[in-house]
Amino acid sequence: MSKDFLVVGGGAIGMLSTLSLAQSGAAVRLLEASSTTGRESSWAGGGIVSPLYPWRYSAAVTALAHWSQDFYPGFGQRLLDETGIDPEVHVTGLYWLDLDDEAEALAWAAPVGRELFAVDIAEAYDQVPVLGAGFKRAIHMPGVANVRNPRLVKALRAALTAMPNVELREHCPVNGFIQENGQIRGVTTAAGEIRADRVVLAAGAWSGELLKTLGLELPVEPVKGQMILYKCAEDFLPSMVLAKGRYAIPRRDGHILIGSTLEYAGFDKTPTDNALESLKASAEELLPALRDAEVVGHWAGLRPGSPEGIPFIGEVPSYPGLWLNCGHFRNGLVLAPASCQLLADLMLGREPIIDPAPYAPAGRLQ
C-alpha cells in the first residue's frame, strides 16, 4: 500500500487528518492557501466540545461527537506535553435555558449514554450567579468541555512541524487536480504540480469550489458566523450557558466568547455593526454584568455548511485517489478527532472506529 498522501486545507480537519495519517509512518504533505494554518473557521469558532443542540442531530453526527468528546481531554494533554502549547480543554458543563424541546433533549440523553438532566432554575442561578434574570427552566450537561481553538490549531501546527515525515506548505492555494488514467494523482497550484498517490480534500467551506473543477457538485457552502469577545475576571463565569440560540463560553483566563450569527452571505466574512449590536444584546441578556465590560474582539468565519451537518468522509467513487473530509458545518472542532481517525482508518485499511457508511461520498455528490 502506497503511503504518499497530500492533504488540501490546513484547518483543524486538515491538520488532524495529516497527523492521523503521519502517525502511521506515512509521508504526508499538507497544503494551506493562506499564510498560516488554522486561521479560518477553526480559529473563528467557539470550541464547544458538543453540538449546540446534540439531540437535534442524526445518529451519524452523534457517533462522531461522542467519540471525540471522550478523546479530547487526553489529546489536549498529549499536545501540551509534546508542544508546550496548551489547547485548554476546559470542562465547565453547559446549561441550556428555556428550551422549547426540553422533553426531547431529556429523552435523547439516556439511550446514548450521556449525562443530561433537568435542574431547578434556582440551582442554575446558584451555580451561575451572573446569569440574567427571568429564565424559568434549565437543563444541564456537566461533562461538556470547550477547547481554546486558536491554541489548539497552534499546537497542531507545532506537532506537525516536529514530524520528519510531514511537509507543511503554507501560502499554497490549490486550483485543480491532476487526473491520470481515471485517477487523481495530485493537485495543481500557481507554483506548479504537486503529485501524490492519494489526495485528501479538507478545505472547509472552499471544498465545493475545488470539486467544481472536476464537474462535481458538493453540497457544502460557506455559512458566516460572527462572534464577540469580552475580558472578565477569571472566576466570572463558571459554566457555559445557552439561551435563544446564543451562547457564552468562558476561557480559563476570564475571556468570554459570545456567539454566534448564522448568515448565508457567500464568501464574505466582513464583521458587521448589526451583528455586533445583536451579539451584545444577547450577551447582556444572558449575563447583564457584561454591559460594563469592553468588547475586546469581534470577528467572522465561514463554516462549511452541509445537509443535516453530516460531513463527507471517504473516497470519491468517480475519481479514485481523491478522498474527502469536509462539510462539518457548525461542529468541525467537536467532530474533528473522530472524523480524522475514521478517514485514516479507511485510507490505511484498518478497522474503522465507527460505521463509515453515513459519511461516504457515494450517492451524496451530484
Side-chain angles (χ1 to χ4, degrees):
M1 179 183 292
S2 171
K3 293 186 177 180
D4 187 8
F5 299 100
L6 189 154
V7 177
V8 178
I13 299 291
M15 285 195 281
L16 259 175
S17 295
T18 300
L19 184 65
S20 298
L21 292 167
Q23 285 173 336
S24 73
V28 190
R29 281 172 288 183
L30 173 62
L31 308 183
E32 165 55 34
S34 67
S35 58
T36 187
T37 55
R39 291 294 298 184
E40 294 293 347
S41 68
S42 301
W43 183 90
I48 301 176
V49 186
S50 171
L52 289 184
Y53 303 96
W55 55 90
R56 297 179 187 173
Y57 285 91
S58 69
V61 172
T62 297
L64 292 171
H66 287 179
W67 194 94
S68 294
Q69 286 167 327
D70 295 339
F71 179 83
Y72 252 115
F75 181 54
Q77 185 61 51
R78 286 197 300 276
L79 283 175
L80 173 59
D81 293 343
E82 292 174 12
T83 69
I85 301 169
D86 189 356
E88 293 188 16
V89 180
H90 185 27
V91 179
T92 64
L94 172 58
Y95 287 93
W96 287 268
L97 304 168
D98 292 352
L99 280 171
D100 291 334
D101 58 350
E102 180 178 307
E104 289 87 342
L106 296 172
W108 166 87
V112 298
R114 293 288 140 168
E115 192 177 9
L116 175 67
F117 45 85
V119 296
D120 188 275
I121 194 64
E123 179 183 333
Y125 279 103
D126 285 343
Q127 296 299 316
V128 189
V130 291
L131 197 58
F135 294 108
K136 305 297 184 186
R137 291 173 289 106
I139 64 172
H140 184 223
M141 186 180 281
V144 182
N146 67 77
V147 60
R148 196 158 185 172
N149 38 305
R151 298 190 181 184
L152 172 67
V153 292
K154 286 181 182 178
L156 285 170
R157 187 184 187 281
L160 292 174
T161 55
M163 299 182 77
N165 55 327
V166 171
E167 178 187 352
L168 173 58
R169 296 192 192 182
E170 295 167 327
H171 203 66
C172 186
V174 169
N175 53 39
F177 298 93
I178 301 168
Q179 300 180 58
E180 288 180 357
N181 302 318
Q183 296 194 332
I184 299 301
R185 304 296 295 186
V187 299
T188 58
T189 74
E193 293 185 345
I194 302 175
R195 291 181 167 265
D197 293 315
R198 280 174 287 179
V199 175
V200 177
L201 180 58
W206 291 265
S207 298
E209 298 301 299
L210 279 169
L211 279 189
K212 284 178 181 176
T213 67
L214 295 173
L216 294 173
E217 287 294 328
L218 176 74
V220 171
E221 62 179 326
V223 182
K224 183 177 179 179
Q226 300 189 49
M227 302 189 71
I228 57 175
L229 182 71
Y230 295 88
K231 180 65 171 72
C232 301
E234 289 183 15
D235 60 353
F236 172 74
L237 182 62
S239 173
M240 294 181 283
V241 291
L242 192 158
K244 300 181 181 178
R246 295 279 170 85
Y247 51 79
I249 304 171
R251 303 303 198 204
R252 286 179 180 164
D253 63 1
H255 279 97
I256 307 295
L257 280 168
I258 303 292
S260 167
T261 64
L262 196 67
E263 307 167 56
Y264 290 82
F267 287 94
D268 174 23
K269 56 176 183 177
T270 308
T272 64
D273 290 340
N274 285 345
L276 175 62
E277 293 309 310
S278 174
L279 289 165
K280 286 175 66 176
S282 294
E284 293 168 14
E285 182 178 7
L286 266 176
L287 307 168
L290 292 180
R291 290 192 186 99
D292 300 320
E294 179 187 1
V295 175
V296 296
H298 173 211
W299 62 85
L302 299 177
R303 310 176 187 90
S306 60
E308 299 182 69
I310 300 174
F312 295 80
I313 307 169
E315 191 170 23
V316 178
S318 54
Y319 289 96
L322 177 59
W323 293 70
L324 304 183
N325 194 3
C326 54
H328 295 74
F329 204 178
R330 305 190 76 173
N331 297 309
L333 288 160
V334 63
L335 303 185
S339 297
C340 298
Q341 185 67 43
L342 177 59
L343 176 82
D345 289 344
L346 295 172
M347 297 188 80
L348 296 168
R350 302 186 302 220
E351 181 70 22
I353 53 166
I354 57 175
D355 178 10
Y359 321 101
R364 302 178 66 203
L365 302 179
Q366 301 171 8

